[in-house]
Structure formats: C-alpha cells, structure tokens
Amino acid sequence: GRQNKMKLILNKKSNCYFFILTLVASFLFIHACSSDNQEKKPNIVLIVADDMGWADIGYHNSEIRTPNLDRLQTVVRETVQNSWDAKCPGKVPEYRVSIRKLTKTQCRVLKNNIFTDLPNEVSGTHPIAECLSRKDPVVLELSDYGTEGLGGTTHPDVVPVDGESRDFVDFIRNIGSPRDTEHGGGTYGYGKSSLYAMSRCQTILVDTVTEYRGSSVRRLIAIRISRRYDILSGKEKGRYTGRHWWGVSNGSTALEPITGKQALDLAMAIGLPERGKHDYGTSIMLLDPDFSDIPASGIVKMVCETLLWNFWPKFINYDAQFAAMRFRFALNGVDVPIPAVENCPPLDLFVAAMKDLKSDRNGVKSIGSKSPKKHLGKLSIKKMVKGDRKILFTGDNSLAPLNCSHVALMR
C-alpha cells in the first residue's frame, strides 16, 4: 500500500516536491522529538519558496542576485535609516561616518575613566583590554545631526507621560524594540544588534544630546553585549547574561549614563565628534570594528556604494531645493568625497526618473486599478545605453548588478 501511494504522489507534477519534502521534514521532526532520541537532537531548517525556478537564485548565476550584505553595509544602512526616522521637523539631517585610530591619550582615558571595571572573561584577556593595549586601535564612528537624539527616560521601568519618547531605553536597554515612527523603516533591534556584531569586542559607546522635559541634556554610556557565560566557582559564581553597561551608579543595579559637563569632557577626550548644547543627535563609537581584512580602498568603496545604493533619493538636489539629507565620510581625519549620485551609473537613470516624477514631465504615466477603481501612483521609465562605471558599482562584490533593470518603489 505504501509503495502505491508513493507512486501516486510522484505522478502529481505541481506540488510533488513540496509534499515529499514536507513528509520527510515531518518524519525527521517527530523522530527527533521522540523519547529515544532526546540526547541527539538534530537542527533542521526547512526553507519553502513558492514558484521558484532553478535560475532564480544568485548562486545559480541568476540575473536576479541574492542579497548578501557585509556587516559594514548592514551597519551603515540600518543606522542611516534610524537617523532619518529621528530627524527633527524642519531640519535637514546629516549623517557622518568616520574611521580612525585612537591615540595613546584616548586609550588611556577609555581605560581609566570609562572601562574601569571589566567583567570576568571565561578565557584569556578581556577583548576590551586587549583592544586598548594594542598599538593604534581602530574605531568606527557613526554620527547624526539635526535629529532628536536618544530622548526620554533612562529607566526601563518608568512609564512615559504624554507621549514621551522612549528612544534611550529602547536603544540602550532593550533589544528588538521598533521605533514608534510612522513609515519608519529602521529598528532599534536588528539595527542595534548589527553594531555589536561589527565590533570584535561587542562594545559600543553612545554619546547623545537631546531634549528631556524642556531642557537640553547630554548622555554618555558604554555597552557590551556578548554571549552569556557561567562562573563555576569562587566569590562571583553564577550565570551572567553577557550584557554590561559603563556609566554612573544610581544606587541600584542599573547604571545611568554620564551626563552634563562630565559627559562633554569625556566625549572630547576620546575624540568623539563635537556638538554644541543644542546640536541634537547621537554619535556611536564601535570599538575594534571587524572589516574582514578589507583594505582601506575597499572600505571607502563599500561605504560610498552603500550610502548611494540604499539612499540615492536623499542625495538628489532638485531645482531650488537642497537634498533631503547630507552625508559625510572621513578616513583617518581626512574627508572622503562621496560622488554625486547623478554621476554614478546606474543610479543616474534612477535620479532622472525621480526628477521627472517630481515635475510630472517626460511621459510620466498614471497607474491605477480597475477593481476597485483607484489611483495608485505614477510611473517613470528611463532607458539608456549602460553608462561607464569608472569608480563605484564595479566588480563582483558591487551592490549594483552588471545589468541593472530595477523598479524603485517610492512611498
């Protein structure tokens, strides 16, 4: 009977493979959960994709490339989106990337004034201590200006009043908390976890200037999020979460950020970007970023490509209007020019199409549905001979495919 049923299934062309795969996965799952196999539990991942052909996956040389974001690309993309979501009304936000080396003095300040109490490490030297004792340790700094900063209470158990922000708590204390922003594309969960993954010692410093209950405040705090660990003996025996904060004690188990003039002095002493009392925004320093042995030229190319490919609409200068957002990039204290998006094929066609949409010219079409009868938007198509890619979007690791035939959906 079993053999006849199997033949019947194989003769069904439409869903046979999915059905067989489901049966096999179900059998393996039941087998793994049985009492006789509790000691050996296999890890099974079942991926089901509907209506996908052999050539629809990047590693099968498909024209549709499978996304593969580097850690640096992920960090830049997520933090820019968070900065855009946090922009102050009526201001043009500015986003800065800086990669630099710490001086001996800056390392000494970090050791003696911030990381004064390092938690126990299961084995070997603590990664923060190892980083700061190295010659010319590197840091990655991500800063924004013209944003709201990390406002609200610093206590996770305090209920906000009158729609008060919880940005500080969501970013510093909680993982996986989305920003309550209309049409917000960033998240204080995925975006934040990528910051710690980018740091070889899973450590960041956060310096933010914001408004809290009518007054400007500055807050500086350091955080490390690593794997949990156990200490099996001794005075500190127990299980630890792997999370650690450096700030000032409030007399309880929670640490508060350093504030006021002390925060300003420490921020300047370790070389964080300058900002005045009302230069609202946030700076994040990643200790010992993992660039995967990419040379400096490759890092420059990656940062510029990531900014342009993911945020090209923010770079456009329309007639008598400024761009929606400003971007700066510095390597070892030297500004790196980011090419104009209009001069970077294939994005030049995206820009031309976007400008036509804004001015409603050059054959822009209206799109609508018949049932229900509704106006859905406008469509602008640009066709041109492929432009010469001299600097960006070249090579196998480029974010843009060799032949670009994309549709950009703008909301």
Side-chain angles (χ1 to χ4, degrees):
R2 181 180 297 176
Q3 185 176 4
N4 291 336
K5 290 180 180 178
M6 211 52 183
K7 287 182 179 179
L8 178 62
I9 293 172
L10 290 173
N11 286 333
K12 293 182 178 179
K13 297 181 180 180
S14 60
N15 296 316
C16 64
Y17 297 114
F18 172 74
F19 192 64
I20 293 172
L21 194 60
T22 305
L23 283 176
V24 172
S26 301
F27 172 76
L28 290 174
F29 179 76
I30 294 171
H31 181 67
C33 294
S34 65
S35 58
D36 295 334
N37 291 277
Q38 288 300 309
E39 296 182 358
K40 297 181 179 180
K41 295 181 180 180
N43 296 316
I44 300 170
V45 178
L46 175 62
I47 301 175
V48 179
D50 181 43
D51 195 25
M52 184 176 72
W54 174 265
D56 287 344
I57 308 176
Y59 58 77
H60 287 159
N61 296 321
S62 169
E63 293 183 359
I64 305 173
R65 292 179 46 176
T66 307
N68 180 21
L69 290 181
D70 179 271
R71 285 178 179 175
L72 178 58
Q73 294 170 345
T74 304
V75 163
V76 171
R77 187 191 67 179
E78 292 295 310
T79 51
V80 171
Q81 184 62 63
N82 282 330
S83 296
W84 175 255
D85 290 343
K87 64 183 181 296
C88 291
K91 290 193 174 182
V92 177
E94 181 173 307
Y95 177 87
R96 301 179 186 179
V97 181
S98 173
I99 301 171
R100 65 182 178 90
K101 298 176 182 178
L102 292 173
T103 66
K104 290 182 179 180
T105 301
Q106 291 166 352
C107 288
R108 187 165 56 250
V109 172
L110 286 168
K111 285 180 183 179
N112 299 335
N113 298 85
I114 296 179
F115 299 112
T116 55
D117 179 25
L118 295 179
N120 288 315
E121 193 68 11
V122 177
S123 60
T125 307
H126 196 283
I128 295 177
E130 194 277 329
C131 169
L132 296 179
S133 62
R134 195 185 310 148
K135 182 181 178 181
D136 298 329
V138 176
V139 294
L140 168 65
E141 291 170 340
L142 309 162
S143 308
D144 61 33
Y145 291 78
T147 64
E148 296 175 350
L150 298 177
T153 179
T154 59
H155 303 275
D157 55 345
V158 172
V159 178
V161 296
D162 298 329
E164 194 174 63
S165 168
R166 283 181 56 88
D167 286 347
F168 185 89
V169 169
D170 287 341
F171 189 83
I172 302 299
R173 311 288 190 191
N174 303 332
I175 292 183
S177 298
R179 299 192 76 250
D180 187 15
T181 303
E182 184 179 5
H183 300 310
T187 168
Y188 283 158
Y190 176 64
K192 183 173 67 173
S193 63
S194 66
L195 293 171
Y196 297 101
M198 181 76 194
S199 166
R200 286 193 178 97
C201 45
Q202 302 90 43
T203 304
I204 67 173
L205 288 89
V206 179
D207 174 40
T208 186
V209 175
T210 186
E211 182 176 311
Y212 181 54
R213 297 184 177 176
S215 299
S216 172
V217 294
R218 187 164 197 146
R219 298 164 170 173
L220 177 68
I221 195 167
I223 317 104
R224 181 176 189 238
I225 297 182
S226 60
R227 296 180 180 180
R228 70 181 185 185
Y229 60 94
D230 298 328
I231 297 179
L232 302 179
S233 61
K235 183 180 178 181
E236 298 182 353
K237 178 181 178 181
R239 169 159 289 187
Y240 294 83
T241 63
R243 301 184 186 186
H244 201 89
W245 291 265
W246 289 268
V248 293
S249 175
N250 62 359
S252 66
T253 56
L255 283 174
E256 291 295 303
I258 303 166
T259 58
K261 187 177 185 303
Q262 186 183 5
L264 170 62
D265 292 343
L266 277 176
M268 295 301 96
I270 61 178
L272 282 169
E274 295 184 8
R275 60 175 73 242
K277 184 178 180 180
H278 296 286
D279 285 336
Y280 294 158
T282 303
S283 298
I284 302 172
M285 175 193 286
L286 280 76
L287 285 183
D288 197 12
D290 185 0
F291 292 125
S292 304
D293 298 323
I294 300 174
S297 59
I299 294 173
V300 169
K301 181 175 181 292
M302 183 179 294
V303 170
C304 291
E305 280 197 6
T306 302
L307 290 172
L308 289 165
W309 180 252
N310 290 285
F311 302 102
W312 60 267
K314 305 290 188 276
F315 282 85
I316 301 176
N317 285 298
Y318 299 100
D319 295 338
Q321 292 184 20
F322 294 106
M325 197 170 184
R326 290 190 291 265
F327 297 88
R328 291 179 60 182
F329 177 31
L331 183 63
N332 293 324
V334 179
D335 283 340
V336 177
I338 301 174
V341 67
E342 292 86 355
N343 300 330
C344 290
L347 295 179
D348 55 337
L349 297 182
F350 286 69
V351 173
M354 189 67 173
K355 288 185 174 181
D356 284 350
L357 281 175
K358 289 285 187 178
S359 60
D360 198 12
R361 64 188 182 192
N362 296 336
V364 173
K365 299 179 181 179
S366 179
I367 304 174
S369 60
K370 293 183 178 180
S371 181
K373 192 173 182 180
K374 187 178 180 181
H375 174 71
L376 300 177
K378 297 179 180 180
L379 175 66
S380 176
I381 300 177
K382 287 293 178 183
K383 297 180 180 180
M384 194 176 292
V385 176
K386 184 173 65 175
D388 185 16
R389 305 183 189 183
K390 297 180 180 179
I391 303 175
L392 299 180
F393 304 116
T394 59
D396 295 335
N397 296 324
S398 171
L399 287 173
L402 184 61
N403 296 310
C404 189
S405 53
H406 284 55
V407 174
L409 178 61
M410 314 303 295
R411 61 184 179 189

